[in-house]
Amino acid sequence: MSNQKASLGHVFKTIVLPRKNLLLLGLVLIIISRVAGLVLPGASQYLIDNVISNKDYDMLKTLLVIVVGAIVVQSATSFALTRLLSVEAQHLIAQLRVKVQKQIVQLPINFFDENKSGALVSRIMSDVEGVRNLVGTGLVQLFGGSLAAILSLILLIRISPMMTVYVLVPVVIFGVISLKAFSYIRPIFRNRGKINAEVTGRLTETLNGIRVIKGFNAEEQEIKTFETGALRLYENVKKSLTSTALVTSSATFLLGLATAGIMGIGGYMIINDDLTYGEFISFTLYLGFMIAPIVQMSNIGSQITEAFAGLDRTEEIMSMATEDENPARTVDLGRVNGEVRFEDVSFAYEEEKHVINKVSFCAKPGSVTALVGTSGSGKSTIAGLVASFISPQEGQIFLDGTDLSTVTLNSYRKQLGVVLQDDFLFEGTIRENILFPRPDATEEQLLEAVKAAHVQEFTDRFEDGLDTVIGERGVKLSGGQRQRIAIARAVLADPRILILDEATSNLDTESESFIQESLKTLMQGRTTFVIAHRLSTIKQADQILVIEQGKVAESGTHDELIAKEGRYYDLYTYQARI
């Protein structure tokens, strides 16, 4: 309960209060609208009891002008209300989506390892939509409806206190049922957002991996998986609909009883001349004006409950610490020389299960350090530590003598270039993908990067050249072509520190020869870390670190390690025989 109160307070502080002037204007408009709406019941009583009975044609004209004027005012205020608040609500939704996306992309890498991309898309796009019921017409209508109900209640009491008391009993019972229902519904809405994110996440994975699915004839399997998720979502919706239906049917039953009672009591009082026909018609109309907002409030209450559930989930994301929210990271780097030194560095993804353990080495500025070893030995983890995607749990990493854990990530990553195993390309043209790290690069700089990675060897064969659209994740290109674009992108970034994680793994013999030819130029003056299964690609490295079970088993140049006839020698000669 205390968490809900805190959440409610936070929502009002961050969303409602900054827009208090707009909401107050909306409240004024809805008060005018509701008061104008009350003119009709009063005019009906006057029409029956005074105008018709006295055959007063002049008063009839005046009454019609007043009623039409009230209708015009009601319509105008309703339009202004929707125009002001609904538009602002959509503006706020757009702002919140941008804010949540900004927060998410600044979270640590391990957050993305633990959450599906599709689920995160759902949290960015769907969870914030509920604010339209807070800043839009929903919240104002809630207050306006309450006001209309109170005013109608006062007028009902003036006409007939006895009939009003009879009406209030079922209304109070309805209010209690509604409050109980909404407290039950909120966790359901909250869980719906979670289920929806999971289903969306799996669906996104399915569509991205459609070639694998078809390749293994696994369509039926994926259809069943999605069906299971869709049914879970259905069960959740069914629960909330059941609760909402209970509220609606309660309103219909209880208010129907009230109406039947009014007919009986009103008829009795008219027969006994205790109530005029006009008063009875007026009472009935005012009763509608009191009941309609209460029923409407039950629907708005459901919407606001859903809004809070979505905003609860949004707040979870916004309260997470981003990569830069580390008080220890205060050092802004200038241009670095590029000396990287590991001192007794250890890291574990799971507690007590070290992926690397007490690793120490030094990479001199402008040198090439190759990391070799079997799969799972810790090579990519070392590369991730150099890139600061993860931080050591023990030991220190120094960059030009400065502890990397004290450096602001923005100032460091400006000088970092990365080509990963997953050569991720964005949908668009080849040109846009190469320009990704430096959108303001000149045409000359772009062409230099293209030449360095031998991209022109295949773009020259395309009708649109560098402006060829490559499809989602570069699906229209071969693995070697995608890899060369990724390398050209790293070249254009002009980093001081370069990480090539299996950068030549997807290249055919011809492509690899092109890349090997340009690697010497690419690595000149840059501290480079190379991970390669094909040991023939790293013969020229300044130092080779053989990683085994998270430790440096051997280090040295290619010739030195071959002469030792140790682990590197075994790996190299084994590959040479294949």
Side-chain angles (χ1 to χ4, degrees):
M1 182 62 76
S2 60
N3 287 340
Q4 287 188 7
K5 286 180 181 177
S7 173
L8 188 66
H10 179 77
V11 167
F12 273 91
K13 184 178 177 182
T14 58
I15 291 176
V16 177
L17 284 181
R19 293 163 182 81
K20 61 181 182 296
N21 292 336
L22 190 66
L23 290 170
L24 284 172
L25 176 59
L27 195 56
V28 169
L29 288 172
I30 204 158
I31 288 171
I32 294 170
S33 177
R34 293 293 189 258
V35 170
L38 293 173
V39 169
L40 183 61
S44 299
Q45 179 185 340
Y46 196 82
L47 175 69
I48 294 169
D49 290 345
N50 298 88
V51 175
I52 294 175
S53 60
N54 297 326
K55 297 182 180 179
D56 190 338
Y57 291 102
D58 290 332
M59 184 55 68
L60 178 62
K61 292 175 185 177
T62 304
L63 200 63
L64 287 174
V65 169
I66 292 171
V67 170
V68 171
I71 292 169
V72 170
V73 169
Q74 202 173 3
S75 300
T77 51
S78 177
F79 172 78
L81 189 67
T82 303
R83 179 69 181 80
L84 282 172
L85 296 184
S86 295
V87 169
E88 176 58 23
Q90 291 304 318
H91 182 221
L92 176 59
I93 287 170
Q95 288 179 320
L96 283 175
R97 281 174 177 158
V98 171
K99 192 175 178 182
V100 175
Q101 189 265 357
K102 181 182 177 182
Q103 169 75 2
I104 284 177
V105 297
Q106 293 182 94
L107 292 174
I109 289 288
N110 62 350
F111 172 81
F112 298 92
D113 294 338
E114 294 166 3
N115 291 275
K116 294 178 180 179
S117 57
L120 297 178
V121 169
S122 174
R123 300 194 77 160
I124 294 168
M125 297 303 293
S126 302
D127 284 355
V128 300
E129 283 192 351
V131 296
R132 69 178 180 274
N133 297 313
L134 295 176
V135 175
T137 54
L139 191 62
V140 168
Q141 283 178 346
L142 192 64
F143 284 107
S146 302
L147 178 69
I150 291 168
L151 288 175
S152 298
L153 178 62
I154 292 169
L155 293 169
L156 288 172
I157 292 171
R158 285 186 61 187
I159 295 171
S160 173
M162 185 173 71
M163 285 198 297
T164 304
V165 169
Y166 178 82
V167 167
L168 283 178
V169 174
V171 168
V172 169
I173 294 171
F174 171 70
V176 172
I177 292 172
S178 296
L179 287 174
K180 291 286 185 184
F182 293 142
S183 64
Y184 172 73
I185 289 172
R186 184 171 180 178
I188 295 173
F189 278 133
R190 183 178 171 79
N191 197 37
R192 182 184 302 175
K194 183 180 177 183
I195 296 169
N196 190 54
E198 289 173 1
V199 174
T200 306
R202 181 65 188 200
L203 180 59
T204 304
E205 283 184 341
T206 300
L207 298 177
N208 284 338
I210 194 66
R211 283 170 174 76
V212 175
I213 291 166
K214 288 185 177 294
F216 286 98
N217 194 33
E219 289 94 335
E220 283 299 321
Q221 179 181 321
E222 283 304 305
I223 290 167
K224 285 180 182 176
T225 301
F226 180 75
E227 184 182 9
T228 301
L231 288 174
R232 281 180 64 209
L233 194 58
Y234 157 72
E235 290 296 333
N236 179 279
V237 172
K238 185 171 73 172
K239 282 184 184 178
S240 63
L241 286 176
T242 302
S243 303
T244 307
L246 176 64
V247 173
T248 307
S249 59
S250 297
T252 304
F253 176 71
L254 292 170
L255 301 179
L257 282 181
T259 304
I262 294 307
M263 289 177 65
I265 297 171
Y268 180 81
M269 292 178 72
I270 290 171
I271 291 169
N272 290 319
D273 293 325
D274 293 328
L275 195 71
T276 67
Y277 289 109
E279 285 174 332
F280 180 76
I281 296 296
S282 179
F283 188 94
T284 306
L285 291 173
Y286 280 132
L287 180 62
F289 273 84
M290 185 183 81
I291 289 173
I294 292 172
V295 175
Q296 185 185 39
M297 280 189 282
S298 71
N299 292 328
I300 294 170
S302 176
Q303 292 167 1
I304 289 176
T305 300
E306 186 174 5
F308 277 117
L311 289 172
D312 282 348
R313 285 166 48 76
T314 299
E315 182 56 28
E316 280 178 12
I317 292 284
M318 298 307 297
S319 63
M320 292 179 180
T322 62
E323 283 185 310
D324 282 324
E325 286 179 4
N326 185 338
R329 292 191 179 276
T330 56
V331 179
D332 282 322
L333 292 174
R335 189 164 175 82
V336 300
N337 291 321
E339 182 187 74
V340 177
R341 190 169 79 253
F342 275 49
E343 288 190 359
D344 293 327
V345 173
S346 297
F347 180 83
Y349 292 102
E350 296 178 34
E351 211 171 325
E352 302 300 324
K353 292 183 180 179
H354 285 107
V355 180
I356 63 167
N357 191 12
K358 303 290 183 183
V359 169
S360 299
F361 66 87
C362 182
K364 297 294 183 185
S367 67
V368 177
T369 298
L371 304 170
V372 302
T374 55
S375 294
S377 59
K379 305 185 299 298
S380 292
T381 300
I382 292 174
L385 287 162
V386 174
S388 69
F389 292 155
I390 50 179
S391 299
Q393 286 147 347
E394 295 175 24
Q396 291 173 291
I397 302 172
F398 293 94
L399 177 63
D400 293 346
T402 302
D403 188 342
L404 197 57
S405 66
T406 66
V407 171
T408 59
L409 293 172
N410 186 46
S411 68
Y412 173 55
R413 288 181 182 159
K414 281 180 181 176
Q415 306 184 70
L416 180 72
V418 181
V419 181
L420 301 174
Q421 279 178 294
D422 181 14
D423 44 7
F424 189 94
L425 300 181
F426 295 90
E427 186 174 9
T429 64
I430 294 171
R431 179 189 299 274
E432 289 167 345
N433 272 279
I434 297 174
L435 286 172
F436 182 74
R438 288 177 63 191
D440 57 348
T442 65
E443 186 71 12
E444 184 182 356
Q445 290 168 329
L446 170 68
L447 294 176
E448 282 177 7
V450 166
K451 185 178 179 182
H454 291 277
V455 171
Q456 82 283 357
E457 297 294 339
F458 62 87
T459 57
D460 286 348
R461 301 196 297 269
F462 296 158
E463 185 179 342
D464 295 325
L466 290 174
D467 295 311
T468 300
V469 177
I470 60 175
E472 189 177 12
R473 297 178 67 95
V475 71
K476 295 179 182 178
L477 302 175
S478 70
Q481 289 169 341
R482 289 198 299 269
Q483 200 76 33
R484 277 187 271 175
I485 291 172
I487 290 171
R489 184 165 60 189
V491 173
L492 186 66
D494 190 24
R496 301 299 303 141
I497 296 170
L498 181 66
I499 298 172
L500 305 174
D501 187 352
E502 304 289 354
T504 58
S505 62
N506 291 332
L507 303 181
D508 51 48
T509 305
E510 182 184 5
S511 296
E512 186 178 346
S513 66
F514 284 134
I515 295 301
Q516 293 301 335
E517 194 177 302
S518 63
L519 277 179
K520 288 180 184 178
T521 306
L522 170 61
M523 295 176 179
Q524 269 183 359
R526 298 185 176 101
T527 306
T528 306
F529 293 86
V530 180
I531 299 175
H533 282 305
R534 285 194 251 182
L535 303 185
S536 59
T537 62
I538 45 101
K539 283 183 181 180
Q540 304 304 319
D542 296 294
Q543 67 172 338
I544 298 170
L545 305 179
V546 181
I547 312 299
E548 290 292 330
Q549 296 181 344
K551 296 182 179 181
V552 179
E554 291 180 332
S555 65
T557 64
H558 171 76
D559 291 337
E560 288 169 351
L561 292 175
I562 289 294
K564 280 185 182 179
E565 296 190 4
R567 182 62 178 144
Y568 179 80
Y569 175 84
D570 293 339
L571 291 170
Y572 187 80
T573 51
Y574 175 75
Q575 282 197 8
R577 287 197 301 270
I578 295 176

